[in-house]
Amino acid sequence: MANEGLHADIRQLAGVGEKRAAAFLRLHISTLGELLSHYPRTYENRKTCKKIIELQNEETTCIKAVVFSAVKTSVIRKNLRVHTVRVSDGTGFLDLVWFNNRFLEQRLKKGETYVFYGKVRLSPKKQMQTPLFELPDKQKQTGRIFPVYPLTEGLTDAIVADCVEQALALCRDAIPDSLPRSVREAYELCTLEFALQNIHFPTDRRAYEAARRRLAFEELFLFQTALFSLKERRSAQSVALMTASPAPFVTSLPFSLTGAQQRVIREIATDLKGGTAMNRLVCGDVGSGKTAVAAAAVYIAVKSGYQAAFMAPTEILATQHYKGLSAFFAEHGIKLELLLGSMTAAARKKALARLASGEADVAIGTHALLSENVHFKALGLAVTDEQHRFGVSQRRTLSDKGDNPHVLVMSATPIPRTLALIIYGDLDVSLIDELPPGRQTIDTFTVTEAYRKRIYAFIEKELAAGRQAYIVCPLVEENGTPELQAATEYAKTLQKDVFHKRRIGLLHGKMKGAEKDAVMAEFKNGDIDLLVATSVIEVGVDVPNATVMLIENAERFGLSQLHQLRGRIGRGSFKSYCILMNRSRQEAAGARLQIMREQSDGFKIAEEDLKQRGPGEFFGTRQHGLPGFKIANLFTDMALLKETTRAAQDFTEGKIAYTSDEFVLLSDKINALFDNRVTFS
Ligand code: ADP
Ligand code: MG
């Protein structure tokens, strides 16, 4: 048994038959190892006994008391029996109450002392309800800090705790430590055995903290080691050398680049001629000029004899990039193709042929670029814009269309650098932390429904002065009305009741690509004054004459999303205003929106957003491709993260010694962490 150790089946445990095993399986537990890494979600202090006289209302605690009266049972109605018993510990009396407990009279003996654990109520009567109880010399569920587990039907905390206890006893001395001793010593981490014992049954707070630190450290360390080694391995493959200078492109631009843009272009140029595949994330606030930076990379690739692909999440954005890059590249003889899902078959066929033959240099498009029949003659660079809209696998599909091409991804979701290192551990990160000159700050207001008339009047004033405006509605149903209909109705109402003289347009996610483009083009040309939109305008659309944005139900958006939306205005020389309509009555919602008034720095807003919503919400679930951490928390474990980054780096670079046994254990764990999707070598 012991040699099977952590891999042993849980059905070997006393009390675990087929039925319980099935319940455990619902929690993805079938082995002792899996059981031991089913960590408690919280703990109950059942260790110390309180005196009856000290008891507070609503407190859940232990008392040690003698049974003073026989169990009294009264029948309230057919299926409800109430049992009461009076106990005392010398400081006072307490009544204990149970319901429908047939065995109570046998189990509780008058004159005997027990430890009781339950919830206290002082009114209407001083009572403890349905306490569990044990003899003082036979304590199992009391007398210790007791774990509270994530559960499923058929399991209780007591059952799981009992199984864990058996498993710990069975595996004792058979739990190999997956962290090399040198790492453990350098970072003062306890052994795995101690950690498992104390994460389930901590003797005290210090033991718990040591256990938690060790387990969280291990999760982060394994993950980062895997990412670092991926990075090393990729660099070993052969790759296109791109040595053309971006200078002719840079001097042909209608503006001079910011210092940050120049720096990032230099970083990219260095990557491209470095002999290993570039894998770089460019992270920059809305309007920081990421497109020009990506265009410089595309220019280098094409002038070095390769093709480039440029993928954007929406047709509007892809089309805007196509137009923008066409203008940038007009005088450089670079040929672009636009690939959209909404194209006619004939146009598509022609575009595909030109890409496959190498006649076209650059493909710009949406997910349509990922389709199987898109082939390149020599794809050397794959660019993904607004990468948070794509999954990791989509990024990979794009780069698989070339032979180990350079990869550039761009994100307008500013995230703290340390976190970027974790999430994109396999990427190098460049920050564009400077806006082009002349950008003005946008005045931001949070208002309630009471201000609606005044807000409409304000918008009308701006429109009368020749400006344009956005009204953004969240992607939600309202009173059962589908979101689309809600936005449509809203646009109609505005036309009829508020802005009769103005041309109102509607933009939403359900529109076909061509329809969206038509509306966007009209707005850009000034043929629409007021654009009612669902959050499809969130990314990248550029209309410098738009100066007002009213965001309805702003409380339903994340701060980073609001920041991105707000980035659509203030792009020209006119003073711009963002109005957040808060329809929540909760104080917290107002306070959260207040941050938008005070902050214009996307990185600071992101930090705040992250703090408030946690990384899961912040990044969404689908996009980051992170394994679920069981115990580490990417936000609250920032300090630990710094340590594990250093440890993983040192380990990958061979600065930490380990034995071959230790190495095998470690790589097994890493494979398990990634569901064997990554082979760690
Ligand atoms: P984002 O980083 O949000 O993708 P864009 O690349 O769309 O930003 O740039 C926003 C606008 O700023 C565009 O109109 C672009 O031409 C302009 N721009 C970019 N870089 C500069 C610069 N250095 N000076 C002036 N304008 C710039
Ligand atoms: Mg952009």
Side-chain angles (χ1 to χ4, degrees), residues 519-540:
V519 173
M520 222 41 232
E522 280 179 82
F523 190 56
K524 214 165 169 163
N525 296 337
D527 298 330
I528 289 174
D529 304 305
L530 175 63
L531 187 61
V532 177
T534 58
S535 47
V536 286
I537 54 154
E538 186 185 334
V539 281

Side-chain angles (χ1 to χ4, degrees), residues 307-326:
Q307 288 170 296
F310 197 126
M311 183 164 70
T314 63
E315 298 214 340
I316 296 180
L317 204 56
T319 309
Q320 186 175 296
H321 281 322
Y322 175 75
K323 288 178 186 152
L325 264 61
S326 299

